[in-house]
Amino acid sequence: MAITKETQIGKIEVVGQYKSVQVRTDTVVMEDGEELSRKYHRHALMPDAVITDEHAEVQAVCNAVWTDAVKSAYKAFKDTQEI
């Protein structure tokens, strides 16, 4: 009996005006190729996030949708919120 545990990117979604990237990470426990359990964790990334520790797929999506225009618009929005 071999029990293994792995983490997978379950879903990547882009939502909202400032292209928030929402990531669902699945932790899967398997025994001899049969799934025993699956748990989910979600986190969201905004255009000012540091993404160097994110999975390569997540980085690719962020780099694709976070154009300079999106980053500038998000920075302007944040600046108005701090006043």
Side-chain angles (χ1 to χ4, degrees), residues 17-74:
Q17 177 180 358
Y18 303 112
K19 309 298 184 209
S20 170
V21 176
Q22 298 179 357
V23 182
R24 186 187 81 196
T25 306
D26 302 358
T27 302
V28 184
V29 177
M30 309 273 286
E31 181 177 9
D32 295 328
E34 184 176 328
E35 185 175 315
L36 296 178
S37 71
R38 180 178 295 259
K39 293 188 178 184
Y40 305 109
H41 173 77
R42 293 180 182 271
H43 67 282
L45 302 165
M46 296 306 290
D48 61 349
V50 176
I51 59 171
T52 54
D53 291 339
E54 295 293 331
H55 189 278
E57 286 180 66
V58 175
Q59 288 183 28
V61 171
C62 291
N63 290 328
V65 299
W66 292 347
T67 62
D68 288 339
V70 169
K71 290 179 182 179
S72 295
Y74 183 66

